[in-house]
Amino acid sequence: MEQPYFRKISALIVTLLLLSVAVKEGAEWYFVHRVLDLRGIKELSRNFINGELGRAVALGVVEFEFPNHVFIEDLKISSEGDFAAQHLILRANKIELVLRGLWKGTPSVKAIRVRNAQIYLDLEDRISGEILGYIHKINIPEILLENTTVTLVKGGKVLLEEVRGVDFSIRKDGNRINVGISDSVFPWPGLRYVNGTFSTDVGSKGMSLALDFRNARAKAIGGLYSELSPLLPRNGRISGKAFLEVEDGILKGNGKTEFSTVSGIVMQELPLKEEPWEWRNVSLDHEWARSSGKDGTYKEYHKLINNEDSLELSREKGTKGLRNWELKLDVSDLDRIRDFLPISEQLESFGGSLRLLCKGKETGNSNDWIQLESGFTLKHFRWKDAELDLEVKEGSLNWDRNGSFRMEMIGSQFGFPARWTSRGKAGFRRAFKGDGTPYYQVQGDFDTELKTDSIVLENYLPWYKRTRQEVREEVRTRMEKLIPEIHFVRTPVYKYFLEFLTGNLKIDAKELRLKSELPNLGALALNLKFAPSQSRLEGKLSGVGEGKLSSYFTYGNDNPYFNFEFEGADLPWKLASFRFCGKDLTPEKISAKGTVRFFGNNFLDFRDHFNMNLQEVLFKGVHWSGNANFPLPLQPGFDMQFEYGDPGNPMLKNLVWKSGNFNGTGNAYGEENSDLRYSVTGFTQTTSGDSAFTISSVPFYSKFRETREICVPE
């Protein structure tokens, strides 16, 4: 049976609850109707933001919640004076105002709490430099932004990209504003963690920022990172600490970061390379320090450490705007840092040790802008890919501040012993591109020599094929997109390396082969002499065969001209060199004279103004593979002589065949884009069985048409 006192207690509790609800509802009604003007709060907020910031603002419902909270829903602040651009600098679903002084009838805001806000701020926008002044002006002791998403840009560059889940605690202490930055309480392993402080005095140009962060997304913070270093991270994770301080317009900062499988680019332009310097999946430590003044001066220091390898870079810009730098590189195995270098991923072999010291400074003299003092040592270097097989057992370079240098390398190319030496004097001029950015042209004079046991041309054929393909693609792209051709004298190759440089390049090889399995053509001696706007190449083959090359290039005007003259006698060949009646002809030896000329201001012009003439071409001991359908009585080992001209109609002239007892001469003719036709006259000789004397001579005449596969009698 239910006890009477229990029933009384239950009734009392229910009564108290009802009274509490009534008091709460009554208090809310009182504050809303007698103390607070919610409509006025909404209008006051809108007018303040619109008037002070000069931006359009939209506010949703404003509600009061007992005992001292006002909620504002759907706050939006536009980047413009209206919402036409549909670009917001702040968006928050709900803002909480914590009030004080309600019971005294003088309510004021004690704190503001903003949850799940999205902030998009451009540092070149006026509002970014006045935010702290607005915070000071509204005179609210505490502002909390919880679970905030921040995007920070500077003009067109993204510094912070949607950094999510960050809490900001903004507190005022007189004229000083302190900001706490965090996203979690503890740095849990493997998870993101940010903890930091920012402080400044309102009206001053001083500030300090300290950050401790773990596993930050490189893509999100890469832009800001590149403002303080020459590195722009794009993917991966970054951890570390950073400290920045500004006092009287002077910035000082330092930090240490750890890259975990980070990819990105180096903010350094490379000559002749349009693509940026990219690195891939790099893990290293980066120590840095930077200071800059109001007059544009700066000092910075960077040290990258990867196991035993390190790179140190110091840079400085003085009051006259001139820069100087010092670079130190110490790598015990280049293969360990290959992912950081702008090299192909297709390398089969790459390695070696390198020690480098390079000091440089700008002189202020445009004709001798950079003064260098440099040197390096290279040991057991190896580079092997589809286009190059190079080894340097020992290499060194010394470059003094007067520009005199000497380099020596001992190693091999494609497995053949080689030695490279270079000496001379060089410097760098300053010039300007069309957009006003400076670039630096090599000037001076040098002598470079390569001595090697053997050169096999087949090894360097991929270079030719790649260059040919690049030229074809460039011509096709320009034709398809109607892009104007660039004159050679305006190309980076000419501007960087050819406009003010003179020198000699000598190549001496004990033997020259077309392919490794083919006979030695003889000893090769090449000498390339070049000066601004023109060059001359002289070459000679001696020993097994005889040959010479003489060429002349002019390229200092809008119509570069190239001329090659060559001749060879009894050069061992054994390489398929001519197609006749569907068969590839392979001569034992070749003799010929010829010229190649072309001119123009771009690659398309070179093709259109190409001219090649071959005279006294003689194939000796010609063989072929498979069955032949020659309409001439040719036997293996025959000789063939002709002349060739391109352009020409016909290209072949004055043909002569000698095969055993057969001698014939012929003419080729044909219309453009049609099969070539031949008319051949000659005779066959019969000799006595006991001697080599001719006892009869039978005339021979034949006409035939040549297709790609066969010759058809007519």
Side-chain angles (χ1 to χ4, degrees), residues 7 13 21 182 212 393 448 468 482 505 531 542 590 605:
R7 296 171 60 185
I13 292 174
V21 172
S182 66
D212 183 1
K393 294 180 180 179
T448 298
R468 182 182 62 182
L482 302 178
L505 173 60
S542 59
I590 282 183
D605 265 6

PDB file of all heavy atoms in Angstrom, residues 7 13 21 182 212 393 448 468 482 505 531 542 590 605:
ATOM      1  N   ARG A   7       3.473  10.119  -1.358  1.00  0.00           N
ATOM      2  CA  ARG A   7       2.576  10.844  -2.242  1.00  0.00           C
ATOM      3  C   ARG A   7       2.761  12.343  -2.057  1.00  0.00           C
ATOM      4  O   ARG A   7       2.719  13.127  -3.020  1.00  0.00           O
ATOM      5  CB  ARG A   7       1.131  10.443  -1.969  1.00  0.00           C
ATOM      6  CG  ARG A   7       0.874   8.970  -2.286  1.00  0.00           C
ATOM      7  CD  ARG A   7      -0.481   8.529  -1.820  1.00  0.00           C
ATOM      8  NE  ARG A   7      -1.541   9.294  -2.450  1.00  0.00           N
ATOM      9  CZ  ARG A   7      -2.839   9.175  -2.143  1.00  0.00           C
ATOM     10  NH1 ARG A   7      -3.221   8.339  -1.212  1.00  0.00           N
ATOM     11  NH2 ARG A   7      -3.726   9.901  -2.776  1.00  0.00           N
ATOM     12  N   ILE A  13       7.511  17.706  -5.529  1.00  0.00           N
ATOM     13  CA  ILE A  13       8.505  17.747  -6.613  1.00  0.00           C
ATOM     14  C   ILE A  13       7.866  18.247  -7.898  1.00  0.00           C
ATOM     15  O   ILE A  13       8.406  19.094  -8.603  1.00  0.00           O
ATOM     16  CB  ILE A  13       9.131  16.363  -6.812  1.00  0.00           C
ATOM     17  CG1 ILE A  13       9.993  16.004  -5.602  1.00  0.00           C
ATOM     18  CG2 ILE A  13       9.955  16.319  -8.103  1.00  0.00           C
ATOM     19  CD1 ILE A  13      10.547  14.583  -5.643  1.00  0.00           C
ATOM     20  N   VAL A  21       9.633  25.868 -14.286  1.00  0.00           N
ATOM     21  CA  VAL A  21       9.318  26.136 -15.690  1.00  0.00           C
ATOM     22  C   VAL A  21       8.639  27.476 -15.818  1.00  0.00           C
ATOM     23  O   VAL A  21       8.924  28.272 -16.738  1.00  0.00           O
ATOM     24  CB  VAL A  21       8.442  25.008 -16.266  1.00  0.00           C
ATOM     25  CG1 VAL A  21       7.938  25.376 -17.660  1.00  0.00           C
ATOM     26  CG2 VAL A  21       9.212  23.696 -16.299  1.00  0.00           C
ATOM     27  N   SER A 182      44.238  25.855 -31.373  1.00  0.00           N
ATOM     28  CA  SER A 182      44.355  24.427 -31.070  1.00  0.00           C
ATOM     29  C   SER A 182      43.301  23.658 -31.853  1.00  0.00           C
ATOM     30  O   SER A 182      42.359  24.230 -32.389  1.00  0.00           O
ATOM     31  CB  SER A 182      44.183  24.162 -29.571  1.00  0.00           C
ATOM     32  OG  SER A 182      42.863  24.482 -29.167  1.00  0.00           O
ATOM     33  N   ASP A 212      53.021  24.776 -32.682  1.00  0.00           N
ATOM     34  CA  ASP A 212      53.504  23.398 -32.583  1.00  0.00           C
ATOM     35  C   ASP A 212      52.465  22.536 -33.288  1.00  0.00           C
ATOM     36  O   ASP A 212      51.292  22.531 -32.896  1.00  0.00           O
ATOM     37  CB  ASP A 212      53.643  22.999 -31.112  1.00  0.00           C
ATOM     38  CG  ASP A 212      54.221  21.584 -30.951  1.00  0.00           C
ATOM     39  OD1 ASP A 212      54.521  20.942 -31.984  1.00  0.00           O
ATOM     40  OD2 ASP A 212      54.352  21.141 -29.801  1.00  0.00           O
ATOM     41  N   LYS A 393      84.351   8.261 -62.194  1.00  0.00           N
ATOM     42  CA  LYS A 393      85.035   7.712 -61.021  1.00  0.00           C
ATOM     43  C   LYS A 393      85.535   8.832 -60.115  1.00  0.00           C
ATOM     44  O   LYS A 393      85.430   8.753 -58.894  1.00  0.00           O
ATOM     45  CB  LYS A 393      86.192   6.830 -61.466  1.00  0.00           C
ATOM     46  CG  LYS A 393      85.752   5.586 -62.211  1.00  0.00           C
ATOM     47  CD  LYS A 393      86.949   4.741 -62.623  1.00  0.00           C
ATOM     48  CE  LYS A 393      86.489   3.490 -63.372  1.00  0.00           C
ATOM     49  NZ  LYS A 393      87.637   2.655 -63.818  1.00  0.00           N
ATOM     50  N   THR A 448      86.999  22.925 -73.924  1.00  0.00           N
ATOM     51  CA  THR A 448      86.565  21.647 -73.361  1.00  0.00           C
ATOM     52  C   THR A 448      87.025  20.512 -74.275  1.00  0.00           C
ATOM     53  O   THR A 448      86.944  20.631 -75.498  1.00  0.00           O
ATOM     54  CB  THR A 448      85.035  21.608 -73.206  1.00  0.00           C
ATOM     55  OG1 THR A 448      84.631  22.631 -72.294  1.00  0.00           O
ATOM     56  CG2 THR A 448      84.571  20.261 -72.676  1.00  0.00           C
ATOM     57  N   ARG A 468      64.019  14.834 -82.423  1.00  0.00           N
ATOM     58  CA  ARG A 468      63.159  14.859 -83.608  1.00  0.00           C
ATOM     59  C   ARG A 468      61.692  14.813 -83.216  1.00  0.00           C
ATOM     60  O   ARG A 468      60.856  15.546 -83.775  1.00  0.00           O
ATOM     61  CB  ARG A 468      63.505  13.671 -84.509  1.00  0.00           C
ATOM     62  CG  ARG A 468      62.683  13.621 -85.803  1.00  0.00           C
ATOM     63  CD  ARG A 468      63.035  12.394 -86.617  1.00  0.00           C
ATOM     64  NE  ARG A 468      62.729  11.169 -85.900  1.00  0.00           N
ATOM     65  CZ  ARG A 468      62.979   9.947 -86.371  1.00  0.00           C
ATOM     66  NH1 ARG A 468      63.564   9.795 -87.545  1.00  0.00           N
ATOM     67  NH2 ARG A 468      62.675   8.882 -85.662  1.00  0.00           N
ATOM     68  N   LEU A 482      47.543  27.455 -83.917  1.00  0.00           N
ATOM     69  CA  LEU A 482      47.869  28.730 -84.563  1.00  0.00           C
ATOM     70  C   LEU A 482      48.754  29.600 -83.680  1.00  0.00           C
ATOM     71  O   LEU A 482      48.587  30.823 -83.555  1.00  0.00           O
ATOM     72  CB  LEU A 482      46.585  29.491 -84.927  1.00  0.00           C
ATOM     73  CG  LEU A 482      45.609  28.748 -85.863  1.00  0.00           C
ATOM     74  CD1 LEU A 482      44.375  29.603 -86.098  1.00  0.00           C
ATOM     75  CD2 LEU A 482      46.283  28.394 -87.182  1.00  0.00           C
ATOM     76  N   LEU A 505      85.202  23.092 -78.388  1.00  0.00           N
ATOM     77  CA  LEU A 505      84.851  21.776 -77.882  1.00  0.00           C
ATOM     78  C   LEU A 505      85.521  20.737 -78.770  1.00  0.00           C
ATOM     79  O   LEU A 505      85.233  20.655 -79.965  1.00  0.00           O
ATOM     80  CB  LEU A 505      83.333  21.579 -77.886  1.00  0.00           C
ATOM     81  CG  LEU A 505      82.824  20.178 -77.536  1.00  0.00           C
ATOM     82  CD1 LEU A 505      83.267  19.780 -76.130  1.00  0.00           C
ATOM     83  CD2 LEU A 505      81.311  20.102 -77.666  1.00  0.00           C
ATOM     84  N   ALA A 531      81.400  31.140 -81.509  1.00  0.00           N
ATOM     85  CA  ALA A 531      81.458  32.519 -81.048  1.00  0.00           C
ATOM     86  C   ALA A 531      80.037  33.060 -81.098  1.00  0.00           C
ATOM     87  O   ALA A 531      79.149  32.430 -81.667  1.00  0.00           O
ATOM     88  CB  ALA A 531      82.389  33.335 -81.940  1.00  0.00           C
ATOM     89  N   SER A 542      90.452   9.043 -89.724  1.00  0.00           N
ATOM     90  CA  SER A 542      91.719   8.579 -90.282  1.00  0.00           C
ATOM     91  C   SER A 542      92.005   7.164 -89.799  1.00  0.00           C
ATOM     92  O   SER A 542      91.438   6.699 -88.818  1.00  0.00           O
ATOM     93  CB  SER A 542      92.864   9.518 -89.875  1.00  0.00           C
ATOM     94  OG  SER A 542      92.971   9.592 -88.458  1.00  0.00           O
ATOM     95  N   ILE A 590      81.677   2.370 -98.152  1.00  0.00           N
ATOM     96  CA  ILE A 590      80.988   3.514 -98.744  1.00  0.00           C
ATOM     97  C   ILE A 590      81.992   4.630 -99.016  1.00  0.00           C
ATOM     98  O   ILE A 590      82.880   4.896 -98.191  1.00  0.00           O
ATOM     99  CB  ILE A 590      79.867   4.035 -97.821  1.00  0.00           C
ATOM    100  CG1 ILE A 590      78.628   3.144 -97.894  1.00  0.00           C
ATOM    101  CG2 ILE A 590      79.462   5.451 -98.179  1.00  0.00           C
ATOM    102  CD1 ILE A 590      77.462   3.638 -97.059  1.00  0.00           C
ATOM    103  N   ASP A 605      60.422  26.254 -90.739  1.00  0.00           N
ATOM    104  CA  ASP A 605      61.216  26.830 -91.819  1.00  0.00           C
ATOM    105  C   ASP A 605      62.391  25.928 -92.190  1.00  0.00           C
ATOM    106  O   ASP A 605      62.739  25.783 -93.359  1.00  0.00           O
ATOM    107  CB  ASP A 605      61.742  28.210 -91.396  1.00  0.00           C
ATOM    108  CG  ASP A 605      60.827  29.324 -91.888  1.00  0.00           C
ATOM    109  OD1 ASP A 605      59.763  29.001 -92.444  1.00  0.00           O
ATOM    110  OD2 ASP A 605      61.163  30.494 -91.706  1.00  0.00           O
TER     111      ASP A 605
END
